[in-house]
Amino acid sequence: MRLLLLTFLSFFSLQMLFSQNITIAENHNDKAMDELMLGNNKTALYEINQALKINPKNANYYYIRGMILQKMNDLNKALIDYKKTLSLNSKHIDATIKCAIVYAKLDNKTKSCEYFKKACDLGDSKACEGYYKFCN
């Protein structure tokens, strides 16, 4: 009985700790978005990195970091984060489109068109328009 109670309390404590950590990560994410909107890219990058330290399996955090890095014109690192987003969530349309855009900025039309096609296949009509206009 005592062991069962200890196991339950340990599990409950771990659940509460995990929940608190997720809340802290979300707070860092919210701050990152606020700073990004204000144009404070370095602060936004710091905040999203804090969120990623707490929850490195959150696809949206990588997407947001990719947006920050893209705004900082660090296109190669942004691309890495957009691809990480897609490795965690292969149906993340926004990350797919961002890959297409970044590849276009890096003058890689083949890869850009590949990602526009993927976004089109995921159901994004604007990606379809871009694909049929620029890639055929």
Side-chain angles (χ1 to χ4, degrees):
M1 181 73 166
R2 198 174 195 183
L3 181 61
L4 182 61
L5 181 60
L6 285 173
T7 302
F8 175 75
L9 289 175
S10 295
F11 177 76
F12 184 70
S13 296
L14 287 174
Q15 286 292 90
M16 284 188 60
L17 182 61
F18 179 74
S19 178
Q20 288 173 342
N21 282 345
I22 295 300
T23 301
I24 293 168
E26 283 298 314
N27 287 339
H28 283 294
N29 175 63
D30 292 345
K31 287 178 187 175
M33 292 300 295
D34 290 344
E35 295 297 331
L36 179 61
M37 295 303 160
L38 293 171
N40 300 329
N41 298 328
K42 287 183 180 181
T43 305
L45 185 60
Y46 170 81
E47 291 295 340
I48 202 62
N49 282 336
Q50 295 307 304
L52 279 163
K53 283 180 185 176
I54 296 167
N55 189 0
K57 294 184 180 182
N58 186 308
N60 287 323
Y61 295 170
Y62 288 99
Y63 174 72
I64 292 164
R65 188 168 72 180
M67 288 192 323
I68 296 165
L69 291 166
Q70 187 176 351
K71 269 196 149 186
M72 296 173 82
N73 207 32
D74 195 339
L75 299 180
N76 290 311
K77 285 184 182 176
L79 192 57
I80 289 168
D81 277 344
Y82 293 142
K83 287 181 176 184
K84 179 66 174 179
T85 302
L86 292 172
S87 76
L88 295 169
N89 177 1
S90 63
K91 296 183 184 199
H92 198 292
I93 293 175
D94 293 334
T96 306
I97 292 169
K98 291 287 191 177
C99 283
I101 292 167
V102 170
Y103 273 121
K105 288 181 178 183
L106 293 171
D107 293 324
N108 189 334
K109 184 178 178 181
T110 302
K111 284 297 217 178
S112 178
C113 289
E114 176 186 323
Y115 280 93
F116 272 124
K117 177 72 167 98
K118 285 180 184 182
C120 178
D121 291 345
L122 288 171
D124 188 277
S125 60
K126 290 193 185 263
C128 293
E129 289 173 23
Y131 177 74
Y132 292 118
K133 184 175 181 180
F134 298 109
C135 299
N136 284 323

